Amino acid sequence: MANRMGLTLLSRSDNVGVARVALAAFAAQLSFTLSDLEEIKVAVSEAVTNAVSHAYPGAEGEVAVSATADGDLLTVEVRDAGVGIPDVAAARAPSFTTVPDRMGLGFVFMESFMDELEVSSAPGQGTTVTMRKRCRPQAG
Amino acid sequence: MANRMGLTLLSRSDNVGVARVALAAFAAQLSFTLSDLEEIKVAVSEAVTNAVSHAYPGAEGEVAVSATADGDLLTVEVRDAGVGIPDVAAARAPSFTTVPDRMGLGFVFMESFMDELEVSSAPGQGTTVTMRKRCRPQAG
Amino acid sequence: MPVHLTHQLMTNYLIIRVSGELDLHAALEFRHKVEDELARTSSKHLLLDFTALTFIDSSGLGAILGRYRTIRQLPGKMSIFGAGGTVRRILELAGISKLIPLCETERQAASC
Amino acid sequence: MPVHLTHQLMTNYLIIRVSGELDLHAALEFRHKVEDELARTSSKHLLLDFTALTFIDSSGLGAILGRYRTIRQLPGKMSIFGAGGTVRRILELAGISKLIPLCETERQAASC
Ligand SMILES: Nc1ncnc2c1ncn2[C@@H]1O[C@H](COP(=O)(O)OP(=O)(O)O)[C@@H](O)[C@H]1O
Ligand SMILES: Nc1ncnc2c1ncn2[C@@H]1O[C@H](COP(=O)(O)OP(=O)(O)O)[C@@H](O)[C@H]1O
């Protein structure tokens, strides 16, 4: 039967690591390889970092991370109630960033390291990022 | 300013580790020693294990773990909506257990490893365990 | 870090090496592994190698005490070696060390 | 695991050893540490020791590229050594290795 978890954090840089370890421990219940788990950590880190860096400019808000583990499928959702993204397609493009000093690689890494990425956002409506990754049957 | 987090899990044995690492990562933001963090892990493990083992006999339910870090004070609350404890004072006594094969040391460890422990429970009303621990100023 | 269990059969005893975290979830796996290996190898004496054990709580202690009862009925002997830091403190705090010798090395554990 | 930064001043270059996780939170500390040590020691060449770096994401990459810009303006040279596993893959995926040489050892890094 499916397992699920929910995690609520404040949009602070020192909470990104909390999300990362919690999600990695949760994902470890499926038969992901160590390298898969590293990739999941990067993807979660990017999604939570975005909520922390972009969603609440000059203010503090909540970031909700939830996950389900169902069969071989991990689904991770990172949600904020922040400013939202005016043009999601543009934001997902490599090197696109609205903050000098950032790389514009967050969405690129989420896409590279997970099997699927959905971004649902609108100005003033917050942002929800949904990522999915399947574990492959292990050899042996 | 205070930091806070909330974590919701299903009452499954493989979720105890998720709570443990998440809370340890959160607590690490305060200036606890490594040995303090080990103690916090044990206390969280005991409280979540109790909710998993005792709160929902023969069923699955939710376990909510929340924490705040305020100044030098960590507060952890572990809450379930399960069967509750008829006699809290008796349950807290060393070696008291209602499950053969268990040690009856859960509450004892929570008490030993944290500065304060409050248990609020009644039959049919669920159980809330609140634990507090302060970090001491570090030498140097 | 999930628990990881390996075993090694010596002339006079069985060693179970436990690495990772021995909590409620791992306790079940630990119990099965130890009981299965004791039966399969007809061993009477058990050494637990805790060198790489990073965490234990009261559920883990319960699993150890359960195996202690099995061993006493055989009757056989049981000892623990390599436990350090918080793991050792918890074994001592719970009084496990009064029942099961805590040794530094395998050699010491094998001879007590 | 939070980031941990140490430095070592050699005749011709400054080494910053980074252990733990280089994410958004650590990036700030990394930036300050590197900029401070470069200024304090008047170093022009920077070697980053990633042997004990266990995690990096795009915020960590941004902090590295920012220091690369500082070094180029001096002008000086910068290289990275000891990066393995997923850390190395991410440095390569992001094209960092096209700008900053990724070396196996300190010796190689010091001579490129
Ligand atoms: N949760 C969010 N809330 C508001 N804006 C966001 C959010 N996530 C991403 N964005 C926008 O999308 C852009 C691209 O994001 P990303 O690819 O992660 O790169 P970076 O974070 O380095 O800028 C960001 O610069 C920001 O403008
Ligand atoms: N969350 C809970 N819900 C219901 N009963 C509980 C809960 N926590 C503890 N108890 C009761 O208190 C007893 C003592 O708990 P504890 O000291 O942790 O020992 P143990 O878990 O080993 O039995 C348990 O055996 C159980 O009957």
Side-chain angles (χ1 to χ4, degrees), chain C:
Chain C
M1 188 177 24
V3 80
H4 184 69
L5 305 166
T6 58
H7 66 275
Q8 192 177 354
L9 184 63
M10 310 302 278
T11 321
N12 296 312
Y13 50 88
L14 173 71
I15 307 182
I16 300 279
R17 305 194 198 276
V18 188
S19 66
E21 309 192 321
L22 196 52
D23 67 356
L24 179 66
H25 192 66
L28 213 82
E29 202 177 325
F30 175 80
R31 189 177 78 198
H32 289 142
K33 174 82 176 178
V34 177
E35 300 286 340
D36 288 358
E37 292 302 331
L38 283 174
R40 201 179 58 83
T41 62
S42 309
S43 299
K44 286 191 153 193
H45 307 306
L46 176 65
L47 262 62
L48 295 177
D49 178 357
F50 281 180
T51 311
L53 184 64
T54 55
F55 177 88
I56 195 166
D57 61 12
S58 74
S59 305
L61 295 179
I64 296 172
L65 272 193
R67 302 311 59 74
Y68 175 68
R69 283 186 215 111
T70 304
I71 291 286
R72 275 221 309 201
Q73 278 171 9
L74 288 174
K77 282 201 270 185
M78 177 168 166
S79 50
I80 292 171
F81 69 95
T86 308
V87 169
R88 194 187 182 96
R89 253 178 74 212
I90 286 179
L91 292 169
E92 282 165 354
L93 192 71
I96 297 281
S97 49
K98 286 179 212 142
L99 299 174
I100 308 169
L102 297 188
C103 309
E104 299 293 326
T105 62
E106 179 179 330
R107 206 180 164 138
Q108 284 167 19
S111 64
C112 64

Side-chain angles (χ1 to χ4, degrees), chain B residues 50-51 54-55 80 83-85 91 96-98 102-107 127:
Chain B
N50 275 355
H54 305 300
D80 65 62
V83 296
I85 305 174
F96 179 95
T97 180
T98 51
R102 292 196 57 81
M103 304 275 295
L105 287 179
F107 284 127
T127 299

